[in-house]
Amino acid sequence: MAWKNPWKQNPWFESVAVAQERARKRLPKPVYAALLAGSERGQTIADNQQAFADLGLAPHVAGHHDKRELSTTVLGQEIGFPVIISPTGVQAVHPDGEVAVARAAAARGTVMGLSNFASKSVEEVVAANAATFFQMYWTGDRDVMIRRMRRAHAAGAKALIATLDWSFSMGRDWGSPEIPEKVDLSAMLRFAPQVMSRGRWLAAYARSGGIPDLTAPNLAPIADDGSLGEPPTFFGAYYEWMTTPPPSWDDVAWMVATWKDVSGGKPFMLKGVCRVDDALRAVDAGVDAISVSNHGGNNLDGTPATIRVLPPIATAVGDQIEVLLDGGVRRGSDVAKALALGARAVMVGRAYLWGLGANGQAGVENVLDILRNGLDSAVLGMGKASIHDLTPADLVIPDGFELALGQPPGQPLGQPSDRP
């Protein structure tokens, strides 16, 4: 029998927390720090997770079902379980970046969300996972945005996600990691001590024949004939975003209508909703779905956890559009809690990035398996045959847990006085 090294790390991990620890040990310090993120004191990122811990489960002792239905649909896409990939920016934690994540999502039967700040092109990612939703910020003028929509549609994106919840809160009490604008000789020399201490990460890039790509190919200039120019650096793209005047609700309606026209009616999701009145305005603007999201705690610190604001929003608009949740999901039981409070599905960000950093595509698949298995266990324990049977009665909800932001006191949900 072949000898096995007992100290060799098993690439499989049993929790998202272990994936995070593996990523911390494998990635250069500034790369790992960028995944932690969280603006200012990190209050929102902490509450996103604490709020799930504040919710309990109410299990049954008998009458369980030997088979559970976990599948659903999101914006017309059938998925094996209600977890989809949330779009995140440049994924230089692994040489294959977003392509590895897309393949993992496809292997587990779910949707890939691709950021227009991604390090891989929409064409590459759709080739890896046909069920890809392309995400855009409100950046550049309208002509530029139309061209980007056309490119995403031509590549085969199944839906558009607009992320608008950003106020450019860049300060963090514990400091932000230094990220070079491009990986040139100067940057390599400056970061060499931190990178050389992470031999396996460096070796993976060496085997790929490249260096971390900090450009944004999906924001490359698009000529009239559809040809692409040189993609901007991440910071060049960020500057365009910061200098674009923020959108109005009329702009949101324009974005919805333009995408529908460009794509022949493909669905549209608005990401970043935390208030009932905003959810209602999103319905008026014509969106097909919203994601109740606070940008993972990367935006306006002090925003409450998304799971706290989900129930009133789902009550107000859940019968008109699809409602998803993004923020703080680390376990399958978290998914069950979100579904019980009105979410159709959840979007995950840091969890899969830690899996990617820990073990590439296999690590992302590992994280998705953890969430799926944890959800199945929760559905089993609560005596349900399907995720669609989960209700608030399956939870232990503390007094004062839910927050109805943008809901005037004394008025029924769905009828705020300031609705246009």
Side-chain angles (χ1 to χ4, degrees):
M1 185 173 66
W3 181 81
K4 292 184 178 180
N5 184 348
W7 291 278
K8 186 176 181 181
Q9 189 180 70
N10 184 345
W12 182 85
F13 39 83
E14 63 184 12
S15 71
V16 172
V18 174
Q20 180 180 356
E21 178 60 14
R22 296 270 181 91
R24 185 188 69 81
K25 290 180 178 179
R26 183 183 178 92
L27 300 176
K29 193 171 182 178
V31 176
Y32 175 72
L35 298 186
L36 292 182
S39 61
E40 298 182 344
R41 66 167 59 89
Q43 178 179 337
T44 293
I45 187 174
D47 193 38
N48 272 348
Q49 296 175 71
Q50 182 58 49
F52 277 110
D54 291 345
L55 290 169
L57 302 176
H60 285 283
V61 69
H64 298 146
H65 299 268
D66 60 348
K67 295 180 180 179
R68 277 81 55 196
E69 178 58 65
L70 303 184
S71 63
T72 189
T73 61
V74 173
L75 294 179
Q77 298 299 305
E78 295 184 3
I79 54 177
F81 66 118
V83 176
I84 72 174
I85 298 296
S86 189
T88 62
V90 180
Q91 294 177 12
V93 300
H94 188 275
D96 294 335
E98 293 84 0
V99 172
V101 177
R103 289 172 179 157
R108 294 302 182 262
T110 195
V111 164
M112 170 68 183
L114 177 69
S115 172
N116 63 357
F117 277 80
S119 62
K120 303 294 182 183
S121 72
V122 63
E123 291 82 7
E124 293 176 277
V125 171
V126 172
N129 187 339
T132 292
F133 295 171
F134 185 68
Q135 177 260 3
M136 288 179 59
Y137 292 95
W138 183 264
T139 174
D141 61 31
R142 287 188 173 190
D143 179 64
V144 166
M145 284 185 265
I146 291 171
R147 292 176 188 231
R148 289 171 181 162
M149 290 181 193
R150 286 175 177 160
R151 179 184 175 188
H153 168 59
K158 294 295 192 294
L160 188 74
I161 302 173
T163 301
L164 305 181
D165 62 327
W166 188 248
S167 60
F168 305 106
S169 300
M170 294 176 287
R172 291 195 290 162
D173 286 5
W174 57 92
S176 297
E178 182 185 1
I179 301 174
E181 183 165 2
K182 58 182 178 179
V183 183
D184 54 14
L185 179 60
S186 174
M188 286 190 283
L189 291 173
R190 192 165 69 255
F191 286 93
Q194 298 177 76
V195 171
M196 294 303 291
S197 68
R198 295 295 188 263
R200 288 188 299 158
W201 183 82
L202 185 61
Y205 268 100
R207 286 194 299 271
S208 74
I211 56 176
D213 186 357
L214 299 183
T215 61
N218 295 308
L219 293 173
I222 305 172
D224 291 341
D225 63 359
S227 60
L228 301 177
E230 281 294 313
T233 65
F234 176 81
F235 287 102
Y238 196 78
Y239 178 78
E240 178 190 72
W241 183 18
M242 291 184 70
T243 54
T244 301
S248 65
W249 281 105
D250 287 341
D251 291 325
V252 175
W254 172 86
M255 203 174 191
V256 175
T258 303
W259 168 249
K260 299 279 188 181
D261 180 60
V262 164
S263 68
K266 289 180 180 178
F268 183 103
M269 178 192 297
L270 179 63
K271 186 172 180 288
V273 176
C274 287
R275 298 169 54 106
V276 172
D277 50 1
D278 280 354
L280 289 160
R281 289 189 177 100
V283 171
D284 291 341
V287 309
D288 301 289
I290 58 173
S291 176
V292 178
S293 172
N294 53 33
H295 219 102
N298 280 301
N299 184 29
L300 192 62
D301 198 31
T303 304
T306 51
I307 192 68
R308 299 187 193 278
V309 300
L310 169 67
I313 291 173
T315 299
V317 302
D319 61 343
Q320 302 172 74
I321 58 173
E322 297 180 15
V323 178
L324 286 80
L325 175 132
D326 189 344
V329 174
R330 301 289 187 272
R331 298 165 181 82
S333 58
D334 295 341
V335 181
K337 292 170 183 178
L339 301 183
L341 292 180
R344 187 179 191 88
V346 303
M347 305 175 78
V348 294
R350 287 183 180 86
Y352 79 77
L353 288 173
W354 288 326
L356 180 66
N359 196 27
Q361 177 182 336
V364 180
E365 293 175 6
N366 195 156
V367 164
L368 292 174
D369 287 342
I370 290 166
L371 297 176
R372 190 186 196 284
N373 294 338
L375 171 63
D376 187 52
S377 293
V379 175
L380 170 66
M382 289 186 283
K384 303 298 182 181
S386 169
I387 57 171
H388 303 288
D389 298 332
L390 294 168
T391 73
D394 297 307
L395 306 182
V396 180
I397 305 173
D399 291 341
F401 178 84
E402 297 178 6
L403 298 173
L405 305 184
Q407 179 64 44
Q411 291 203 1
L413 279 176
Q415 299 178 19
S417 58
D418 58 348
R419 188 181 186 188

